[in-house]
Amino acid sequence: MSSRERILQRIRKAQGRGGGSPSQAELEAVETYLRAHPRGTLPPVEADLVARFRARAETMQCTTDEVATEGDVPAALVRYLKAGNLSLAGCVWPQLAHLDWKGAGLALESRGAKDSDPVGVTGAFAAIAETGTLVLASGPDTPATVSLLPETHIAMVPAARIVAHMEDAWTLARAEFRQLPRAINFVSGPSRTADIDQTIALGAHGPYRVHIVVVRG
């Protein structure tokens, strides 16, 4: 049992819920509560979610690109990195190890990130058109470090996983995960701070740059 599981077990015991995982009855109670409390009013988002997502992401200092299929992603990454005179080496989510990174000229290792990695390549659980935000769910094949440690974060996002609102992303998560993963990270552009003289500085606590490749097919 992991430390996380032991901590959650103690919390459940303190709440009088036993020490194991949530029962089916508890999960059904949560679903009943959610159905009884519908969403509030949400701002309208125009029909072309891909265009809205890209436009909003670019206002957050991201750069974006679009390709037809997943197999086109490695070549698109090479074009982006070479255009910026950036390193072609780094790490990639194990979930994406099947793509031909080496054949495209990229030296990406399938693992979590190290401090020395210049580039980290991830997928995305979902993306939010309203705000231009990436939604990343951590797991053994999707380590959170890949989007947090390298100076350049590149994310590939299937167009079908772009939703209108944050509430839609949580609906997807509840439908696809019986239990939520250890972390769900919302990424809206490069890391930034304005702590010094109220001047925005990028890369303060994470990547200096975020590049997003939308996969249409």
Side-chain angles (χ1 to χ4, degrees):
M1 183 182 294
S2 69
S3 297
R4 175 178 182 267
E5 290 170 329
R6 286 193 293 271
I7 291 169
L8 292 176
Q9 190 176 77
R10 288 198 297 271
I11 293 172
R12 287 180 58 77
K13 284 182 178 179
Q15 294 175 332
R17 299 184 180 184
S21 299
S23 66
Q24 186 60 38
E26 287 177 301
L27 295 174
E28 290 174 358
V30 171
E31 291 300 323
T32 299
Y33 176 87
L34 292 173
R35 286 193 296 270
H37 294 77
R39 298 176 184 176
T41 302
L42 298 174
V45 174
E46 53 263 36
D48 190 344
L49 297 183
V50 171
R52 169 63 181 260
F53 170 73
R54 290 186 64 180
R56 291 295 295 156
E58 288 171 7
T59 67
M60 301 296 291
Q61 286 76 53
C62 294
T63 53
T64 70
D65 193 4
E66 194 170 314
V67 296
T69 69
E70 188 181 69
D72 298 322
V73 171
L77 266 60
V78 170
R79 289 194 298 271
Y80 164 74
L81 293 169
K82 287 185 174 180
N85 196 29
L86 300 171
S87 173
L88 301 180
C91 57
V92 61
W93 273 0
Q95 186 184 78
L96 303 177
H98 62 282
L99 294 177
D100 189 12
W101 307 111
K102 185 177 181 180
L106 294 163
L108 298 178
E109 297 181 5
S110 174
R111 54 169 172 75
K114 302 175 183 177
D115 288 342
S116 58
D117 287 319
V119 175
V121 179
T122 74
F125 174 74
I128 302 170
E130 180 187 1
T131 57
T133 300
L134 297 168
V135 183
L136 309 180
S138 68
D141 290 332
T142 58
T145 54
V146 178
S147 67
L148 297 174
L149 291 181
E151 290 188 351
T152 300
H153 172 206
I154 302 175
M156 51 179 286
V157 181
R161 304 292 293 189
I162 298 176
V163 297
H165 302 100
M166 179 180 67
E167 289 84 353
D168 299 314
W170 284 117
T171 297
L172 275 181
R174 284 194 293 269
E176 297 183 16
F177 298 115
R178 187 175 186 275
Q179 287 185 285
L180 292 178
R182 184 174 185 179
I184 292 184
N185 293 316
F186 289 75
V187 177
S188 298
S191 170
R192 70 196 70 200
T193 184
D195 289 346
I196 300 174
D197 295 330
Q198 299 300 298
T199 300
I200 294 292
L202 300 181
H205 311 292
Y208 285 94
R209 58 191 70 84
V210 175
H211 182 64
I212 302 168
V213 180
V214 177
V215 181
R216 281 286 187 178

